[in-house]
Structures are given as structure tokens and as C-alpha cells.
Amino acid sequence: MAAFGTATAAALASPAPCRPAAVVARSSAGRCAPLRCSPPAVGLRRGPAPPRRGATLKVEAKKQTFSSFDELLENSEKPLLVDFYATWCGPCQYMVPILQEVSEKLSDKIQVVKIDTEKYASIASRYRIEALPTFIIFKDGKPCYRFEGALPANQLIEQIESALAVTK
């Protein structure tokens, strides 16, 4: 087990922010020494990203606009698989091509919809989205099945088909 140093009660009560000892170096006069900023490392400089080799994945999605999520649920002819995601979420980005594949394979059974939880936080809170990605299957405007996490296409198809078979 790793040993960690303990702080005194006075140090814990201090309103000053925690800083590494090197940053708080003091000169002999008791004043803070000026900090020196070095330029960023060569690989860390900001600027345009170099072009990447290899094939670029292009996913085409059918974008539709509805005045409300409730309208989408009411007007849907098929059950909806709603993917609650965020742009910063790695597993959510992993699911993009998988959802495209599932949408193509199950196009006669289900409609896939993606909702960005950052843009539509009220919808995410209404359905208590706490983990990403979260998938909810809606049938007749009501949630009937829910699962979380990234899945391979075959497992996602199994989940959807079993959920639809149970709710018939």
C-alpha cells in the first residue's frame, strides 16, 4: 500500500489554493519569485492538425427537426431507439458507425434518433440520463426498455430485438 503524507489542520484550513512547492518558491526577501514560462513542447503547439493517413469514416445521418421531443415520440410510426450522447464522450463516438449499421439493418423495425445531452439537458434530466451513452427504446410514445454503455453491433441488435419482442 502506498504511503501518503498527512497535512496538519492549519494547512487544511488555509484558504490559499494548493500549489506545487516549485511554484511557491520564495526569494530571500520573502517575495514570490517570478515564474518563468517556457514555450510549449514541439508536439504540443496549437495549430492546424496534420492530415491523417488512411480512410476517413463518413457517416450520413438523416437530420430531422421537430418542435419538441414529445412531438417526435407521438408522430413516430415505428418504435424509437434514442441514443443519449455527448460530443466529448469517447464511447458515444465509438457508437456512431455502429448505430448507422443498426439503423440500416433494422430500418423496417425501428427508427434511430440521437440526442445531444449537452444541448438538450432538460430532456436528459427528464429521463434521468446519468451515464453515456444511454439508449432508451420508446414504443407508443413511452419508454419501454433502457440500457447503457457501448456495445458491438450484433449485441445492440440482440438487445433491440429482445426488447421489441417483449413489448409486443
Side-chain angles (χ1 to χ4, degrees):
M1 185 169 169
F4 295 98
T6 57
T8 64
L12 291 175
S14 171
C18 297
R19 294 193 176 128
V23 174
V24 198
R26 298 198 179 263
S27 66
S28 59
R31 294 187 182 147
C32 291
L35 298 176
R36 295 184 182 156
C37 296
S38 60
V42 174
L44 300 177
R45 289 195 174 127
R46 300 242 182 221
R52 294 182 180 212
R53 290 190 229 180
T56 304
L57 177 66
K58 184 178 180 184
V59 177
E60 294 186 24
K62 178 179 164 186
K63 276 200 165 185
Q64 292 181 328
T65 304
F66 293 87
S67 60
S68 72
F69 184 64
D70 295 325
E71 179 188 333
L72 171 65
L73 293 175
E74 290 170 11
N75 296 335
S76 177
E77 298 166 1
K78 298 183 261 186
L80 291 174
L81 170 66
V82 180
D83 170 24
F84 290 92
Y85 75 99
T87 55
W88 50 261
C89 168
C92 300
Q93 300 310 313
Y94 166 80
M95 291 302 295
V96 170
I98 292 172
L99 286 169
Q100 183 69 28
E101 180 183 339
V102 167
S103 179
E104 291 169 2
K105 286 185 178 177
L106 300 177
S107 62
D108 58 325
K109 295 180 182 180
I110 199 161
Q111 180 182 352
V112 177
V113 176
K114 295 178 67 68
I115 294 186
D116 185 345
T117 56
E118 298 288 310
K119 288 182 182 176
Y120 302 101
S122 62
I123 297 172
S125 80
R126 183 187 333 167
Y127 293 102
R128 293 182 170 89
I129 304 302
E130 296 175 357
L132 296 174
T134 294
F135 302 94
I136 301 178
I137 297 177
F138 289 87
K139 192 166 185 182
D140 300 324
K142 295 180 176 51
C144 65
Y145 189 74
R146 177 187 183 120
F147 54 99
E148 299 170 346
L151 297 171
N154 61 342
Q155 289 181 10
L156 184 58
I157 290 170
E158 287 174 19
Q159 289 267 0
I160 294 167
E161 287 178 338
S162 67
L164 293 178
V166 168
T167 60
K168 283 186 179 179

